[in-house]
Amino acid sequence: MLAYIIRRVAQSILVLLVTGFVAFSMFSFVGDPIDNMLGQERTVADIARLREQLGLDQPFFVQYWRFLEQAAQGNFGLSYRQGRPVSDILIERLPATLELAFVSGLLALCGGIGLGIFTAIRKRGVSANVIMTLSLVGVSLPTFLIGILLIYLFSVELGWLPSFGRGEVTRLGGWTTGFLTESGLKALILPAITLGLYQMTLIMRLVRTEMLEVLRMDYIRFARARGIRERAINFHHALKNTLVPVITITGLQLGSIIAFAIITETVFQWPGVGLLFINAVQFVDIPVMAAYLMMISVMFVGINLIVDLLYFAIDPRLRVDRSAAGGH
Amino acid sequence: MTQTELRPKADPARPSRFSRAVNSDLFHSFRSNPVAVVSAIVVMVLILAAVFAPLVAPHDPFNPATLNLMNGFTPPGEANAFTGDFFVLGTDDQGRDVFSTILYGMRISLFVGFSAVLFAMVLGVILGLIAGYVGGWVETIIMRIADIQLTFPAILVAMLIFGIAKGITPPAYRDQMAIWVLIVAIGLSDWVQFARVVRGATLVEKNREYVQAAKIAGRSAFSIMLRHILPNVMNSVLVIATISLALAIIAEATLSFLGVGAPPTKPSLGTLISIGQGFMFSGEWWILIFPALTLLALALSINLLGDWLRDALNPKLR
């Protein structure tokens, strides 16, 4: 157990070091920072002085180490485009993304598990089949298209919900929230559905498959033979045993929700970090790109680590399997 | 006149390639699955329409000489109020025929999709074969890179690669290079799937007797990998390639929609949807809806074909 945890943590650190390396290389290879900072009228002496000041005359790995030190303190320099510290901009934008991700994650989880159970129990029912077919359409429909179609229906045609922005937000210390105002909540609905729909279909299909698998097991048949009510079998005996893989996948999906938020935020002009990143890519704003990359990799690696450990804690059988199969 | 007279070389005991294909299990499973047949027809029609776009399209949307600004915003199925010209799916703000722009846009979408998958496939298969067959530290390095990349969603990796490539290419070439950068970005974000599956299959195959026999016969490692192991792992590779194709087309559309893909001078389906979104609020729905439906039809039918192929080639999964 301990060896496993140590190995997983070491692996996570390796991932962070590699992404840090990628982020650092972006600075070194994409454009010369000296060009970005000094104007047209510069002397060779100016360049040399700045180069020394910034530590650019140091060996590659010394620079890499210094970058990691700075990054660990959340210092990524100034945005090329906005001229403000990248960390300030990120912190300002983060609440919007986290709120959106939280609501759509919740939606995906509740909707996915509910529909998954339904389609598994009513395997041959008409409505279950309709839902399954629709879910395939949902998987094929790109996120941005879902967003646009929702805007078209609910904002343009029906005029019920706003098509862009966060609505009115309330400041709570360093955090801005849209949960407390009516327009903030209204503005949240469409983006949350857009972002959550894909994950919801994934969770739904997963729950259904797992549930069908479990319902075939002997102990379920035995429970039926004992005359236990169908309801108790489905929810008490079967559902419990399907939740392990669901937790894992959902945890991992949390990471992709944050990544797919880039698309949703662009469609709805939602002022979060995803929109910031896509603008940075468009304008080649390297510090913002690097900082976003580092931030998101810390999140992903953290989530993966927690999910792995959780998985390990929930299912004792895995402790044996994993160490036996442990090729890497 | 009998079959044998038409093909004198064919051995009568051995059926021709064509009839073997028609009588194969795969084709039988295809014929008995209406969803697969319909999706295949849709995919074929769309691909043919895209390939022969210059012949099929009623207008050349990228030749300014043929455009008439007076034709702008013609609704679908109606004649234009000023010029009396007729457009099946209407026109956009510059008077470009939406039907024609979709055909040309689909060409770019399909080209990027196929090229990216091909690139990912070649890269993934080669690295997977090497990792599985050679093993040791080579395998550790390749698979560790794959693991790390898999931590991040493919679309994010593709965006990042696109951003870096944009920073490296000089501004004058950016529009020209955009399509190729897109192919490399999507391809690099997708090779991991191929590498993992091929490595897994190679690990199994390499201990089989035929590989041992080939080794004893003095075949080089290169030739064993390419001529003996590869054909046996090709089934799984094909299934992943089909599913990857749908994903690649969606990824391309997404990137182009976000403005980090195909440039407006060479619009793909994603670029067209992004242009159409601008007219959604003013009521010109056709500029948005028709490219969107085309993209949906393309992605959905390729997905359905992939589903069928996976079940047909791997009966164990069912």
Side-chain angles (χ1 to χ4, degrees):
Chain A
M1 174 85 185
L2 191 68
Y4 175 73
I5 294 179
I6 292 173
R7 204 169 56 220
R8 280 299 285 115
V9 171
Q11 217 172 326
S12 309
I13 293 174
L14 182 76
V15 173
L16 287 182
L17 283 178
V18 172
T19 40
F21 184 75
V22 171
F24 172 68
S25 322
M26 274 165 34
F27 276 106
S28 329
F29 296 127
V30 183
D32 189 350
I34 303 283
D35 279 345
N36 290 314
M37 298 172 86
L38 285 180
Q40 288 289 324
E41 294 175 17
R42 59 192 176 193
T43 60
V44 180
D46 279 346
I47 295 177
R49 191 161 38 83
L50 192 63
R51 201 170 275 280
E52 202 190 313
Q53 249 175 33
L54 293 173
L56 293 176
D57 51 349
Q58 302 282 327
F60 185 79
F61 280 99
V62 177
Q63 287 191 47
Y64 174 44
W65 180 248
R66 286 176 48 151
F67 170 80
L68 285 180
E69 265 179 8
Q70 294 286 317
Q73 294 165 21
N75 186 359
F76 287 93
L78 300 177
S79 155
Y80 290 166
R81 198 161 154 254
Q82 304 191 26
R84 292 165 53 206
V86 175
S87 46
D88 288 4
I89 306 177
L90 275 182
I91 288 172
E92 191 181 289
R93 297 273 198 128
L94 202 54
T97 300
L98 289 181
E99 277 184 2
L100 178 62
F102 173 74
V103 174
S104 39
L106 208 64
L107 185 84
L109 197 61
C110 298
I113 292 181
L115 286 175
I117 295 171
F118 178 78
T119 47
I121 296 175
R122 302 269 162 78
K123 198 167 58 170
R124 293 195 175 76
V126 178
S127 47
N129 276 322
V130 170
I131 293 174
M132 284 306 289
T133 315
L134 280 181
S135 81
L136 202 65
V137 180
V139 173
S140 305
L141 207 59
T143 313
F144 72 94
L145 214 49
I146 297 176
I148 294 177
L149 295 177
L150 284 178
I151 293 181
Y152 184 68
L153 187 62
F154 290 102
S155 306
V156 179
E157 288 295 319
L158 297 171
W160 290 350
L161 297 165
S163 61
F164 68 91
R166 257 186 109 187
E168 221 176 297
V169 291
T170 322
R171 275 204 155 276
L172 296 174
W175 187 274
T176 54
T177 178
F179 286 148
L180 299 176
T181 59
E182 199 199 323
S183 70
L185 286 174
K186 264 189 168 174
L188 195 58
I189 297 175
L190 289 184
I193 294 177
T194 307
L195 188 51
L197 208 59
Y198 182 74
Q199 323 294 336
M200 191 172 92
T201 43
L202 280 188
I203 294 175
M204 180 193 114
R205 292 181 143 246
L206 181 77
V207 170
R208 178 178 175 272
T209 320
E210 290 291 326
M211 192 87 175
L212 287 177
E213 197 102 316
V214 171
L215 284 176
R216 251 188 304 222
M217 300 275 230
D218 279 346
Y219 75 93
I220 297 286
R221 213 177 292 162
F222 188 62
R224 281 222 177 89
R226 269 161 55 204
I228 295 174
R229 270 181 309 140
E230 199 65 14
R231 210 185 151 75
I233 292 177
N234 287 333
F235 288 95
H236 191 76
H237 293 75
L239 183 60
K240 251 190 185 170
N241 282 298
T242 62
L243 283 183
V244 179
V246 173
I247 290 175
T248 333
I249 300 284
T250 314
L252 295 178
Q253 289 301 319
L254 213 66
S256 53
I257 280 190
I258 292 170
F260 277 103
I262 299 173
I263 301 162
T264 311
E265 285 176 12
T266 311
V267 176
F268 289 93
Q269 291 298 303
W270 186 266
V273 281
L275 190 59
L276 183 74
F277 172 72
I278 205 71
N279 288 336
V281 172
Q282 282 161 353
F283 293 98
V284 200
D285 192 344
I286 298 293
V288 175
M289 278 166 72
Y292 181 84
L293 177 66
M294 286 313 290
M295 186 189 76
I296 217 158
S297 55
V298 169
M299 278 185 192
F300 280 7
V301 167
I303 291 170
N304 278 358
L305 190 64
I306 293 170
V307 166
D308 256 21
L309 296 181
L310 207 66
Y311 200 34
F312 203 70
I314 292 175
D315 196 340
R317 283 174 305 176
L318 290 168
R319 288 171 210 169
V320 188
D321 288 353
R322 281 254 175 134
S323 45
H328 54 165
Chain B
M1 199 149 58
T2 61
Q3 288 277 331
T4 38
E5 281 175 34
L6 275 172
R7 287 191 207 83
K9 273 183 191 167
D11 182 354
R14 196 178 150 83
S16 71
R17 239 165 209 280
F18 178 72
S19 68
R20 262 190 299 160
V22 169
N23 292 326
S24 68
D25 288 351
L26 193 66
F27 191 74
H28 179 76
S29 132
F30 177 73
R31 254 188 332 191
S32 53
N33 186 337
V35 175
V37 174
V38 172
S39 335
I41 292 172
V42 172
V43 173
M44 284 313 287
V45 167
L46 288 176
I47 289 179
L48 286 178
V51 170
F52 296 106
L55 301 176
V56 181
H59 302 269
D60 180 358
F62 305 112
N63 182 0
T66 65
L67 295 179
N68 183 353
L69 273 178
M70 293 294 277
N71 277 330
F73 296 129
T74 314
E78 284 174 35
N80 185 279
F82 304 108
T83 60
D85 288 346
F86 180 84
F87 301 94
V88 191
L89 302 181
T91 61
D92 66 3
D93 56 332
Q94 298 174 42
R96 291 190 294 199
D97 176 34
V98 171
F99 180 58
S100 308
T101 51
I102 288 177
L103 289 180
Y104 279 91
M106 202 158 61
R107 243 184 162 192
I108 293 170
S109 291
L110 282 169
F111 176 69
V112 172
F114 273 109
S115 314
V117 169
L118 195 68
F119 179 54
M121 190 166 92
V122 171
L123 189 69
V125 166
I126 290 175
L127 289 178
L129 277 175
I130 292 174
Y133 191 79
V134 179
W137 59 269
V138 180
E139 182 186 21
T140 312
I141 290 181
I142 294 177
M143 295 327 284
R144 212 20 53 88
I145 295 175
D147 282 347
I148 291 176
Q149 195 180 324
L150 215 60
T151 320
F152 301 93
I155 191 94
L156 187 67
V157 176
M159 279 178 203
L160 213 62
I161 296 171
F162 190 89
I164 296 172
K166 195 175 174 186
I168 295 173
T169 44
Y173 295 101
R174 274 183 194 165
D175 269 14
Q176 274 177 6
M177 297 292 293
I179 298 284
W180 300 102
V181 170
L182 206 53
I183 291 171
V184 172
I186 297 174
L188 278 182
S189 70
D190 201 37
W191 67 275
V192 179
Q193 306 294 340
F194 290 97
R196 283 168 76 106
V197 167
V198 169
R199 169 182 165 267
T202 307
L203 284 179
V204 175
E205 297 292 330
K206 100 175 164 186
N207 294 324
R208 292 271 168 84
E209 274 168 2
Y210 72 89
V211 175
Q212 304 293 337
K215 258 188 207 161
I216 294 167
R219 285 272 187 168
S220 67
F222 180 74
S223 128
I224 291 177
M225 276 190 262
L226 222 59
R227 304 198 46 189
H228 296 273
I229 298 181
L230 184 61
N232 284 301
V233 301
M234 219 44 207
N235 267 6
S236 342
V237 171
L238 272 182
V239 173
I240 303 179
T242 323
I243 295 166
S244 291
L245 181 62
L247 289 177
I249 288 173
I250 290 181
E252 186 279 328
T254 306
L255 291 174
S256 297
F257 172 79
L258 296 175
V260 290
T265 47
K266 275 185 193 158
S268 71
L269 286 179
T271 325
L272 291 177
I273 294 170
S274 140
I275 295 171
Q277 195 199 8
F279 298 109
M280 181 169 66
F281 294 98
S282 47
E284 285 86 18
W285 52 270
W286 58 90
I287 308 177
L288 167 70
I289 297 294
F290 292 124
L293 285 180
T294 314
L295 177 65
L296 179 63
L298 196 59
L300 184 63
S301 44
I302 295 176
N303 257 342
L304 289 170
L305 263 187
D307 263 11
W308 161 75
L309 198 64
R310 186 183 54 203
D311 295 344
L313 288 182
N314 193 352
K316 273 175 275 177
L317 272 175
R318 268 281 131 142

